Coordinates of all heavy atoms in Angstrom, one line a residue:
M50 N 81.5 128.9 6.2 CA 81.3 128.2 7.4 C 80.0 127.5 7.3 O 79.0 128.2 7.0 CB 81.5 129.1 8.6 CG 81.4 128.5 10.0 SD 79.8 127.9 10.6 CE 79.0 129.5 10.7
Q51 N 79.9 126.3 7.7 CA 78.6 125.7 7.9 C 78.7 124.5 8.9 O 79.7 123.8 8.9 CB 77.9 125.2 6.6 CG 78.6 124.2 5.8 CD 77.8 123.8 4.6 OE1 76.6 124.1 4.5 NE2 78.5 123.1 3.7
M52 N 77.8 124.4 9.8 CA 77.9 123.3 10.7 C 76.5 122.9 11.2 O 75.5 123.7 11.2 CB 78.7 123.7 11.9 CG 78.2 124.8 12.7 SD 79.3 125.2 14.1 CE 78.6 126.7 14.7
I53 N 76.4 121.7 11.7 CA 75.1 121.2 12.3 C 75.2 121.4 13.8 O 76.1 121.0 14.4 CB 74.9 119.7 12.0 CG1 74.9 119.5 10.5 CG2 73.6 119.2 12.6 CD1 73.6 119.9 9.8
K54 N 74.1 122.0 14.3 CA 74.2 122.4 15.8 C 72.7 122.3 16.3 O 71.8 122.6 15.7 CB 74.7 123.8 15.9 CG 75.0 124.2 17.4 CD 75.5 125.6 17.4 CE 75.5 126.2 18.8 NZ 75.9 127.6 18.9
M55 N 72.7 121.9 17.6 CA 71.4 121.8 18.3 C 71.1 123.3 18.7 O 71.9 123.9 19.4 CB 71.5 120.9 19.5 CG 70.2 120.5 20.0 SD 69.3 119.3 19.0 CE 69.8 117.7 19.7
I56 N 69.9 123.8 18.4 CA 69.5 125.1 18.8 C 68.2 125.1 19.5 O 67.4 124.2 19.3 CB 69.5 126.1 17.6 CG1 68.4 125.7 16.6 CG2 70.9 126.2 17.0 CD1 68.1 126.8 15.7
K57 N 67.9 126.2 20.2 CA 66.6 126.3 20.9 C 66.0 127.6 20.5 O 66.6 128.6 20.5 CB 66.9 126.2 22.4 CG 65.7 125.7 23.2 CD 66.0 125.1 24.5 CE 64.8 125.1 25.4 NZ 63.5 125.0 24.6
I58 N 64.7 127.5 20.1 CA 63.9 128.7 19.7 C 62.7 128.8 20.6 O 61.9 127.9 20.6 CB 63.5 128.6 18.3 CG1 64.7 128.5 17.4 CG2 62.7 129.8 17.9 CD1 64.4 128.1 15.9
G59 N 62.7 129.8 21.4 CA 61.5 130.1 22.2 C 61.3 128.9 23.2 O 62.2 128.4 23.8
N60 N 60.0 128.4 23.3 CA 59.7 127.3 24.2 C 59.7 126.0 23.5 O 59.3 125.0 24.1 CB 58.3 127.6 24.8 CG 58.3 128.8 25.7 OD1 59.3 129.1 26.4 ND2 57.3 129.6 25.6
L61 N 60.1 126.0 22.2 CA 60.1 124.7 21.5 C 61.2 123.8 22.0 O 62.2 124.3 22.5 CB 60.2 124.9 20.0 CG 59.1 125.8 19.3 CD1 59.5 126.1 17.9 CD2 57.8 125.0 19.4
P62 N 61.0 122.5 21.8 CA 62.2 121.6 22.2 C 63.4 121.9 21.3 O 63.2 122.4 20.2 CB 61.6 120.2 21.8 CG 60.1 120.3 21.7 CD 59.9 121.8 21.3
P63 N 64.6 121.6 21.7 CA 65.8 121.8 20.9 C 65.7 121.1 19.5 O 65.2 120.0 19.5 CB 66.9 121.3 21.7 CG 66.4 121.1 23.1 CD 64.9 120.9 23.0
I64 N 66.1 121.7 18.5 CA 66.1 121.1 17.2 C 67.5 121.2 16.5 O 68.2 122.1 16.9 CB 65.1 121.6 16.2 CG1 65.3 123.1 15.9 CG2 63.7 121.4 16.8 CD1 64.4 123.6 14.8
L65 N 67.8 120.3 15.6 CA 69.1 120.4 14.9 C 68.9 121.4 13.8 O 67.9 121.3 13.1 CB 69.4 119.0 14.3 CG 70.2 118.1 15.2 CD1 70.4 116.7 14.5 CD2 71.5 118.6 15.7
A66 N 69.9 122.2 13.6 CA 69.8 123.2 12.5 C 71.1 123.3 11.8 O 72.2 122.9 12.3 CB 69.4 124.6 13.0
L67 N 71.1 123.6 10.5 CA 72.3 123.9 9.8 C 72.6 125.4 10.0 O 71.8 126.3 9.7 CB 72.1 123.6 8.3 CG 73.3 124.0 7.4 CD1 74.5 123.2 7.7 CD2 72.9 123.9 5.9
I68 N 73.8 125.7 10.6 CA 74.2 127.0 10.8 C 75.1 127.5 9.7 O 76.0 126.8 9.3 CB 75.0 127.2 12.1 CG1 74.4 126.4 13.3 CG2 75.2 128.6 12.5 CD1 73.1 126.9 13.7
V69 N 74.7 128.6 9.1 CA 75.5 129.2 7.9 C 75.9 130.6 8.2 O 75.4 131.2 9.2 CB 74.6 129.1 6.6 CG1 74.3 127.7 6.3 CG2 73.4 130.0 6.8
D70 N 76.8 131.1 7.5 CA 77.2 132.5 7.6 C 77.3 133.1 6.1 O 76.9 132.4 5.2 CB 78.4 132.8 8.4 CG 79.7 132.2 7.7 OD1 79.6 131.8 6.5 OD2 80.7 132.2 8.4
K71 N 77.7 134.3 6.0 CA 77.7 135.0 4.7 C 78.6 134.4 3.7 O 78.5 134.6 2.5 CB 78.0 136.5 4.9 CG 79.3 136.8 5.5 CD 79.6 138.3 5.6 CE 80.8 138.7 6.4 NZ 81.9 137.8 6.3
D72 N 79.6 133.6 4.2 CA 80.5 132.9 3.3 C 80.1 131.5 2.8 O 80.7 130.9 2.0 CB 81.9 132.8 4.0 CG 82.5 134.2 4.3 OD1 82.3 135.1 3.5 OD2 83.1 134.3 5.4
T73 N 79.0 131.0 3.4 CA 78.5 129.7 3.0 C 78.0 129.7 1.6 O 77.1 130.6 1.3 CB 77.4 129.2 3.9 OG1 77.9 129.4 5.3 CG2 77.1 127.8 3.7
P74 N 78.4 128.9 0.7 CA 77.9 128.8 -0.7 C 76.4 128.5 -0.7 O 76.0 127.6 0.1 CB 78.8 127.8 -1.4 CG 79.7 127.2 -0.4 CD 79.4 127.8 0.9
Y75 N 75.7 129.0 -1.6 CA 74.3 128.7 -1.8 C 73.9 128.9 -3.2 O 74.6 129.5 -4.0 CB 73.4 129.6 -0.9 CG 73.5 131.0 -1.2 CD1 72.6 131.6 -2.1 CD2 74.4 131.9 -0.6 CE1 72.7 132.9 -2.5 CE2 74.4 133.2 -0.9 CZ 73.6 133.8 -1.8 OH 73.6 135.1 -2.1
S76 N 72.7 128.3 -3.5 CA 72.1 128.6 -4.8 C 70.7 129.2 -4.6 O 70.3 129.3 -3.4 CB 72.0 127.3 -5.7 OG 71.4 126.3 -5.0
I77 N 70.0 129.6 -5.6 CA 68.7 130.2 -5.4 C 67.6 129.1 -5.8 O 67.8 128.4 -6.7 CB 68.5 131.4 -6.3 CG1 69.5 132.5 -5.9 CG2 67.1 132.0 -6.3 CD1 69.3 133.1 -4.5
C78 N 66.6 129.1 -4.9 CA 65.5 128.1 -5.1 C 64.9 128.2 -6.5 O 64.6 129.2 -7.0 CB 64.5 128.4 -4.0 SG 63.0 127.4 -4.1
E79 N 64.8 127.0 -7.1 CA 64.3 127.0 -8.4 C 62.7 127.0 -8.5 O 62.1 127.2 -9.5 CB 64.8 125.8 -9.2 CG 64.2 124.5 -8.9 CD 64.6 123.4 -9.8 OE1 65.7 123.5 -10.6 OE2 64.0 122.4 -9.9
N80 N 62.1 126.9 -7.3 CA 60.7 127.0 -7.2 C 60.2 128.4 -7.0 O 59.4 128.9 -7.8 CB 60.2 126.1 -6.1 CG 58.7 125.9 -6.1 OD1 58.1 125.6 -7.1 ND2 58.1 126.2 -4.9
C81 N 60.7 129.1 -6.0 CA 60.2 130.5 -5.7 C 61.2 131.5 -6.3 O 60.9 132.7 -6.4 CB 60.1 130.7 -4.2 SG 61.6 130.6 -3.3
C82 N 62.4 131.1 -6.8 CA 63.3 132.0 -7.4 C 63.7 133.1 -6.5 O 64.1 134.2 -7.0 CB 62.8 132.5 -8.7 SG 62.4 131.2 -9.9
A83 N 63.6 133.0 -5.2 CA 63.9 134.1 -4.3 C 64.8 133.6 -3.1 O 65.8 134.3 -2.8 CB 62.6 134.6 -3.8
K84 N 64.5 132.5 -2.5 CA 65.2 132.1 -1.3 C 66.5 131.4 -1.6 O 66.6 130.7 -2.6 CB 64.2 131.3 -0.4 CG 63.0 132.0 0.0 CD 62.9 132.2 1.5 CE 61.9 133.2 1.9 NZ 60.5 132.7 1.9
K85 N 67.4 131.4 -0.6 CA 68.6 130.7 -0.7 C 68.5 129.3 -0.4 O 67.7 128.9 0.5 CB 69.7 131.3 0.3 CG 70.0 132.8 -0.1 CD 70.9 133.3 1.0 CE 71.2 134.8 0.7 NZ 72.0 135.4 1.7
V86 N 69.2 128.4 -1.1 CA 69.2 127.0 -0.9 C 70.6 126.6 -0.5 O 71.6 126.8 -1.2 CB 68.9 126.3 -2.2 CG1 68.9 124.8 -2.0 CG2 67.5 126.7 -2.7
Y87 N 70.7 126.0 0.7 CA 72.0 125.4 1.2 C 72.0 123.9 1.1 O 70.9 123.3 1.2 CB 72.2 125.9 2.6 CG 72.4 127.4 2.8 CD1 71.3 128.2 3.1 CD2 73.7 127.9 2.6 CE1 71.5 129.5 3.3 CE2 73.8 129.3 2.7 CZ 72.8 130.1 3.1 OH 72.9 131.4 3.2
A88 N 73.2 123.4 0.9 CA 73.3 121.9 0.8 C 74.2 121.4 1.9 O 75.3 122.0 2.1 CB 73.8 121.5 -0.6
H89 N 73.8 120.3 2.6 CA 74.6 119.7 3.6 C 74.1 118.3 3.7 O 72.9 118.0 3.6 CB 74.5 120.4 4.9 CG 75.4 119.9 6.0 ND1 75.3 118.7 6.6 CD2 76.6 120.4 6.4 CE1 76.3 118.5 7.5 NE2 77.1 119.6 7.4
P90 N 75.0 117.3 3.8 CA 74.6 115.9 3.9 C 73.6 115.6 5.0 O 72.8 114.7 4.8 CB 75.9 115.1 4.2 CG 77.0 116.0 3.8 CD 76.5 117.4 3.9
R91 N 73.6 116.4 6.0 CA 72.6 116.1 7.1 C 71.5 117.0 7.2 O 70.7 117.0 8.1 CB 73.4 116.1 8.5 CG 74.3 114.9 8.7 CD 75.0 115.0 10.0 NE 74.1 115.0 11.1 CZ 74.5 115.3 12.4 NH1 75.8 115.7 12.5 NH2 73.7 115.3 13.4
L92 N 71.4 117.9 6.1 CA 70.2 118.7 6.0 C 69.1 117.9 5.3 O 69.3 117.5 4.2 CB 70.5 120.0 5.2 CG 69.4 121.0 5.1 CD1 68.9 121.5 6.4 CD2 69.8 122.2 4.2
L93 N 68.0 117.8 5.9 CA 66.9 116.9 5.4 C 66.2 117.7 4.3 O 65.5 118.7 4.5 CB 65.9 116.6 6.5 CG 64.8 115.6 6.1 CD1 65.4 114.3 5.7 CD2 63.7 115.5 7.1
K94 N 66.3 117.2 3.0 CA 65.6 117.8 1.9 C 65.1 116.8 1.0 O 65.8 115.8 0.6 CB 66.6 118.8 1.2 CG 66.9 120.0 2.0 CD 68.0 120.8 1.3 CE 67.5 121.4 0.0 NZ 66.5 122.5 0.2
A95 N 63.9 117.0 0.4 CA 63.4 116.1 -0.6 C 63.8 116.5 -2.0 O 64.1 115.7 -2.8 CB 61.9 116.0 -0.5
D96 N 63.9 117.8 -2.2 CA 64.3 118.3 -3.4 C 65.5 119.3 -3.2 O 65.4 120.3 -2.6 CB 63.2 119.1 -4.1 CG 63.5 119.5 -5.5 OD1 64.7 119.8 -5.8 OD2 62.6 119.3 -6.4
K97 N 66.7 118.9 -3.7 CA 67.9 119.6 -3.4 C 67.9 121.0 -4.0 O 68.7 121.9 -3.6 CB 69.2 118.9 -3.8 CG 69.3 118.6 -5.3 CD 70.6 117.9 -5.6 CE 70.7 117.5 -7.1 NZ 70.5 118.6 -8.1
D98 N 67.0 121.3 -5.0 CA 67.0 122.6 -5.6 C 66.0 123.6 -5.0 O 65.8 124.7 -5.5 CB 66.8 122.5 -7.1 CG 67.9 121.7 -7.8 OD1 69.1 121.9 -7.5 OD2 67.6 120.8 -8.6
W99 N 65.3 123.1 -4.0 CA 64.2 123.9 -3.4 C 64.7 124.5 -2.0 O 65.4 123.8 -1.3 CB 63.0 123.1 -3.2 CG 62.2 122.9 -4.4 CD1 62.6 123.0 -5.7 CD2 60.8 122.6 -4.5 NE1 61.5 122.7 -6.6 CE2 60.4 122.5 -5.9 CE3 59.8 122.4 -3.5 CZ2 59.1 122.2 -6.3 CZ3 58.5 122.1 -4.0 CH2 58.2 122.0 -5.3
C100 N 64.2 125.6 -1.7 CA 64.5 126.2 -0.3 C 63.6 125.4 0.7 O 62.6 124.8 0.3 CB 64.3 127.7 -0.3 SG 62.5 128.2 -0.4
L101 N 63.9 125.6 1.9 CA 63.2 124.9 3.0 C 61.7 125.4 3.1 O 60.8 124.6 3.4 CB 63.9 125.0 4.3 CG 65.2 124.2 4.4 CD1 65.8 124.3 5.8 CD2 65.0 122.7 4.1
D102 N 61.5 126.7 2.8 CA 60.2 127.2 2.9 C 59.3 126.5 1.8 O 58.1 126.1 2.1 CB 60.2 128.7 2.7 CG 60.7 129.4 3.9 OD1 60.8 128.8 4.9 OD2 60.9 130.7 3.8
C103 N 59.8 126.4 0.6 CA 59.0 125.7 -0.4 C 58.8 124.2 -0.1 O 57.7 123.7 -0.3 CB 59.7 125.8 -1.8 SG 59.7 127.5 -2.5
E104 N 59.8 123.6 0.5 CA 59.7 122.2 0.9 C 58.6 122.1 2.0 O 57.8 121.2 1.9 CB 61.0 121.7 1.5 CG 62.1 121.5 0.5 CD 62.6 120.1 0.5 OE1 62.4 119.4 1.5 OE2 63.2 119.7 -0.5
D105 N 58.7 122.9 3.0 CA 57.7 122.9 4.0 C 56.2 123.0 3.4 O 55.3 122.3 3.8 CB 57.9 124.0 5.1 CG 59.0 123.6 6.0 OD1 59.4 122.4 6.1 OD2 59.5 124.5 6.7
Q106 N 56.1 124.0 2.6 CA 54.8 124.3 2.0 C 54.3 123.1 1.2 O 53.2 122.7 1.3 CB 55.0 125.5 1.0 CG 53.7 126.1 0.5 CD 53.0 126.9 1.6 OE1 53.6 127.5 2.4 NE2 51.7 126.8 1.6
H107 N 55.2 122.5 0.4 CA 54.8 121.4 -0.5 C 54.6 120.1 0.2 O 53.6 119.4 -0.1 CB 55.9 121.3 -1.6 CG 55.5 120.3 -2.7 ND1 54.7 120.7 -3.7 CD2 55.9 119.0 -2.9 CE1 54.5 119.6 -4.5 NE2 55.2 118.6 -4.1
Y108 N 55.5 119.8 1.1 CA 55.5 118.4 1.7 C 54.8 118.4 3.0 O 54.3 117.4 3.5 CB 56.9 117.9 1.8 CG 57.6 117.6 0.5 CD1 58.5 118.5 0.0 CD2 57.3 116.4 -0.2 CE1 59.1 118.3 -1.2 CE2 57.9 116.2 -1.4 CZ 58.8 117.1 -1.9 OH 59.4 116.9 -3.1
R109 N 54.7 119.5 3.7 CA 54.2 119.5 5.1 C 53.1 120.6 5.3 O 52.8 121.0 6.4 CB 55.3 119.7 6.1 CG 56.2 118.5 6.2 CD 57.4 118.6 7.0 NE 58.4 119.5 6.4 CZ 59.2 119.1 5.4 NH1 59.2 117.9 4.9 NH2 60.1 120.0 4.9
G110 N 52.6 121.2 4.2 CA 51.7 122.3 4.2 C 50.4 121.9 4.9 O 49.7 122.8 5.5
D111 N 50.0 120.7 4.9 CA 48.7 120.3 5.5 C 48.9 119.7 6.9 O 47.9 119.1 7.5 CB 47.8 119.4 4.6 CG 48.6 118.2 4.1 OD1 49.8 118.1 4.5 OD2 48.1 117.5 3.3
M112 N 50.1 119.7 7.4 CA 50.3 119.2 8.8 C 49.8 120.2 9.8 O 49.9 121.4 9.6 CB 51.8 119.0 9.1 CG 52.3 117.7 8.6 SD 54.0 117.4 9.2 CE 54.5 116.0 8.3
T113 N 49.2 119.8 10.9 CA 48.9 120.7 12.0 C 50.2 121.1 12.7 O 51.2 120.5 12.5 CB 47.9 120.0 13.0 OG1 48.6 118.9 13.6 CG2 46.7 119.5 12.3
D114 N 50.1 122.1 13.6 CA 51.3 122.5 14.3 C 51.8 121.4 15.2 O 53.0 121.2 15.3 CB 50.9 123.7 15.3 CG 50.8 125.0 14.5 OD1 51.1 125.0 13.3 OD2 50.3 126.0 15.1
K115 N 50.9 120.6 15.7 CA 51.3 119.5 16.6 C 52.0 118.4 15.7 O 53.0 117.9 16.1 CB 50.1 118.9 17.3 CG 50.4 117.9 18.4 CD 49.2 117.4 19.1 CE 49.6 116.4 20.2 NZ 48.4 115.8 20.7
E116 N 51.4 118.1 14.6 CA 52.1 117.1 13.7 C 53.5 117.6 13.3 O 54.4 116.8 13.2 CB 51.2 116.9 12.4 CG 50.0 116.0 12.7 CD 49.0 116.0 11.5 OE1 49.1 116.9 10.7 OE2 48.2 115.0 11.5
L117 N 53.6 118.8 13.0 CA 54.8 119.4 12.5 C 55.9 119.4 13.7 O 57.0 119.0 13.4 CB 54.6 120.9 12.1 CG 55.8 121.5 11.3 CD1 56.1 120.7 10.0 CD2 55.4 122.9 10.9
A118 N 55.4 119.6 14.9 CA 56.3 119.6 16.0 C 56.8 118.1 16.2 O 58.0 117.9 16.5 CB 55.6 120.1 17.3
L119 N 55.9 117.2 16.1 CA 56.3 115.8 16.2 C 57.3 115.3 15.1 O 58.3 114.7 15.4 CB 55.1 114.9 16.2 CG 54.3 114.7 17.5 CD1 53.0 113.9 17.2 CD2 55.1 114.0 18.5
W120 N 57.0 115.8 13.9 CA 57.8 115.5 12.8 C 59.2 116.0 13.0 O 60.2 115.4 12.8 CB 57.2 116.0 11.5 CG 58.0 115.8 10.3 CD1 58.0 114.7 9.5 CD2 59.0 116.7 9.7 NE1 58.9 114.8 8.4 CE2 59.5 116.0 8.5 CE3 59.4 117.9 10.0 CZ2 60.4 116.6 7.7 CZ3 60.4 118.5 9.2 CH2 60.9 117.9 8.1
T121 N 59.3 117.3 13.4 CA 60.5 118.0 13.7 C 61.4 117.2 14.8 O 62.6 117.0 14.6 CB 60.3 119.4 14.1 OG1 59.6 120.1 13.1 CG2 61.6 120.2 14.3
K122 N 60.7 116.9 15.8 CA 61.4 116.2 16.9 C 61.9 114.8 16.4 O 63.0 114.4 16.7 CB 60.4 115.9 18.1 CG 61.2 115.3 19.3 CD 60.2 115.0 20.4 CE 61.0 114.4 21.6 NZ 62.0 113.3 21.2
Q123 N 61.1 114.1 15.7 CA 61.5 112.8 15.2 C 62.7 112.9 14.3 O 63.7 112.1 14.4 CB 60.3 112.2 14.4 CG 60.6 110.7 13.9 CD 59.5 110.3 13.0 OE1 58.4 110.8 12.9 NE2 59.8 109.2 12.2
K124 N 62.7 113.9 13.4 CA 63.9 114.0 12.5 C 65.1 114.5 13.2 O 66.2 114.1 12.9 CB 63.5 115.1 11.4 CG 62.4 114.6 10.4 CD 62.7 113.2 9.9 CE 61.5 112.6 9.1 NZ 61.7 111.2 8.8
T125 N 64.9 115.3 14.2 CA 66.0 115.7 15.1 C 66.6 114.5 15.8 O 67.9 114.3 15.8 CB 65.6 116.8 16.1 OG1 65.3 118.0 15.4 CG2 66.7 117.1 17.1
D126 N 65.8 113.7 16.3 CA 66.2 112.4 17.0 C 67.0 111.5 16.0 O 67.9 110.8 16.4 CB 65.0 111.7 17.6 CG 64.4 112.4 18.8 OD1 65.1 113.3 19.3 OD2 63.3 112.0 19.2
E127 N 66.6 111.6 14.8 CA 67.3 110.8 13.8 C 68.6 111.4 13.3 O 69.3 110.8 12.5 CB 66.4 110.5 12.6 CG 65.2 109.6 12.9 CD 64.2 109.6 11.7 OE1 64.5 110.1 10.6 OE2 63.1 109.0 11.9
G128 N 68.9 112.6 13.7 CA 70.1 113.3 13.4 C 70.0 114.2 12.2 O 71.1 114.6 11.6
W129 N 68.8 114.5 11.7 CA 68.6 115.4 10.6 C 68.5 116.8 11.0 O 67.7 117.1 11.9 CB 67.4 115.0 9.8 CG 67.5 113.7 9.1 CD1 67.0 112.5 9.4 CD2 68.2 113.4 7.8 NE1 67.4 111.5 8.5 CE2 68.1 112.1 7.5 CE3 69.0 114.2 7.0 CZ2 68.7 111.5 6.4 CZ3 69.5 113.7 5.8 CH2 69.4 112.3 5.6
A130 N 69.1 117.7 10.3 CA 68.8 119.1 10.5 C 67.6 119.5 9.6 O 67.5 119.1 8.5 CB 70.0 120.0 10.0
V131 N 66.7 120.2 10.2 CA 65.4 120.5 9.5 C 65.2 122.0 9.3 O 64.2 122.4 8.8 CB 64.2 119.9 10.2 CG1 64.2 118.4 10.2 CG2 64.1 120.4 11.7
M132 N 66.2 122.8 9.7 CA 66.1 124.2 9.4 C 67.5 124.8 9.2 O 68.5 124.2 9.6 CB 65.3 125.0 10.4 CG 66.0 125.4 11.7 SD 64.9 126.3 12.8 CE 64.6 127.8 12.0
V133 N 67.5 126.0 8.6 CA 68.8 126.7 8.4 C 68.7 128.0 9.1 O 67.7 128.7 9.0 CB 69.0 126.9 6.9 CG1 70.3 127.8 6.6 CG2 69.1 125.6 6.1
V134 N 69.7 128.3 9.9 CA 69.7 129.7 10.5 C 71.1 130.3 10.3 O 72.1 129.6 10.1 CB 69.5 129.6 12.1 CG1 68.0 129.3 12.3 CG2 70.4 128.6 12.7
T135 N 71.1 131.6 10.3 CA 72.4 132.3 10.1 C 73.1 132.4 11.4 O 72.5 132.4 12.5 CB 72.2 133.7 9.5 OG1 71.4 134.4 10.4 CG2 71.5 133.6 8.2
Q136 N 74.4 132.5 11.3 CA 75.3 132.6 12.5 C 74.8 133.7 13.4 O 74.7 133.6 14.6 CB 76.7 132.8 12.1 CG 77.7 132.9 13.2 CD 78.0 131.6 13.8 OE1 77.8 130.6 13.2 NE2 78.5 131.6 15.1
E137 N 74.5 134.9 12.8 CA 74.1 136.1 13.6 C 72.8 135.8 14.4 O 72.7 136.2 15.5 CB 73.8 137.3 12.6 CG 75.0 137.7 11.8 CD 75.2 136.9 10.6 OE1 74.3 136.8 9.8 OE2 76.3 136.3 10.4
N138 N 71.9 135.0 13.7 CA 70.6 134.7 14.4 C 70.9 133.8 15.6 O 70.2 133.9 16.7 CB 69.6 134.1 13.5 CG 68.9 135.1 12.6 OD1 69.0 136.3 12.9 ND2 68.3 134.7 11.5
V139 N 71.8 132.9 15.5 CA 72.1 131.9 16.6 C 72.6 132.7 17.8 O 72.2 132.6 18.9 CB 73.1 130.9 16.1 CG1 73.5 130.0 17.3 CG2 72.5 130.0 15.0
Q140 N 73.6 133.6 17.4 CA 74.2 134.4 18.5 C 73.2 135.2 19.2 O 73.1 135.4 20.4 CB 75.4 135.2 18.0 CG 76.6 134.4 17.7 CD 77.6 135.1 16.8 OE1 77.4 136.1 16.3 NE2 78.8 134.5 16.7
G141 N 72.3 135.8 18.4 CA 71.2 136.6 18.9 C 70.3 135.9 19.9 O 70.0 136.3 21.0
R142 N 70.0 134.6 19.5 CA 69.1 133.8 20.3 C 69.8 133.3 21.6 O 69.2 133.2 22.6 CB 68.6 132.6 19.5 CG 67.6 133.0 18.4 CD 67.0 131.8 17.8 NE 66.0 132.3 16.8 CZ 66.1 132.0 15.5 NH1 67.1 131.3 15.1 NH2 65.3 132.5 14.6
D143 N 71.1 133.0 21.4 CA 71.8 132.5 22.6 C 71.8 133.6 23.7 O 71.9 133.2 24.9 CB 73.3 132.2 22.2 CG 73.3 130.8 21.5 OD1 72.3 130.1 21.6 OD2 74.4 130.5 21.0
S144 N 71.8 134.8 23.3 CA 72.0 135.9 24.3 C 70.6 136.2 25.0 O 70.6 137.0 25.9 CB 72.6 137.1 23.7 OG 71.6 137.7 22.8
L145 N 69.5 135.6 24.4 CA 68.2 135.9 25.0 C 68.1 135.2 26.4 O 68.6 134.2 26.6 CB 67.1 135.4 24.1 CG 66.9 136.3 22.8 CD1 65.9 135.7 21.9 CD2 66.6 137.7 23.2
Ligands
ZN758 ZN1 61.7 128.4 -2.5

């Protein structure tokens, strides 16, 4: 299962995320060789073989929190998912 969904985390504005579960196919990041890499046409990625943590570090590592928040909102407005969350985490957050 995988789908694009608007989610809310804490006090941040809602963002688009790719929701995955244990059955979603993935590969392992070729940069850190540890994290899972998911692929979806609407998941914003510069390097399809890298995990989002490595992408954030490499492409947005020197952004301030404010710049990152603006970037995230802009990409969400454009219809891009900018993070991956597991189904369990979404349900956990919804119940908060
Ligand atoms: Zn990685």
Side-chain angles (χ1 to χ4, degrees):
M50 185 285 294
Q51 58 177 347
M52 62 177 171
I53 300 288
K54 188 181 170 186
M55 196 73 97
I56 64 165
K57 206 155 161 28
I58 301 171
N60 294 322
L61 299 172
I64 61 170
L65 276 177
L67 175 65
I68 316 294
V69 298
D70 66 9
K71 59 178 171 35
D72 299 321
T73 310
Y75 64 87
S76 52
I77 296 295
C78 175
E79 73 172 20
N80 188 51
C81 65
C82 301
K84 299 246 166 73
K85 295 174 181 177
V86 179
Y87 293 97
H89 187 284
R91 285 177 66 195
L92 180 64
L93 185 64
K94 288 173 70 68
D96 190 320
K97 64 179 174 51
D98 297 317
W99 282 22
C100 71
L101 289 183
D102 284 351
C103 288
E104 288 238 342
D105 280 347
Q106 191 76 33
H107 187 77
Y108 294 99
R109 291 172 288 284
D111 50 4
M112 278 190 188
T113 64
D114 285 353
K115 193 176 175 189
E116 284 171 339
L117 194 58
L119 277 173
W120 179 86
T121 302
K122 184 186 182 313
Q123 186 190 340
K124 294 306 170 191
T125 290
D126 289 347
E127 291 172 7
W129 290 102
V131 292
M132 84 181 287
V133 177
V134 289
T135 61
Q136 181 75 22
E137 298 82 55
N138 280 345
V139 174
Q140 284 165 352
R142 288 189 180 116
D143 281 349
S144 67
L145 289 176

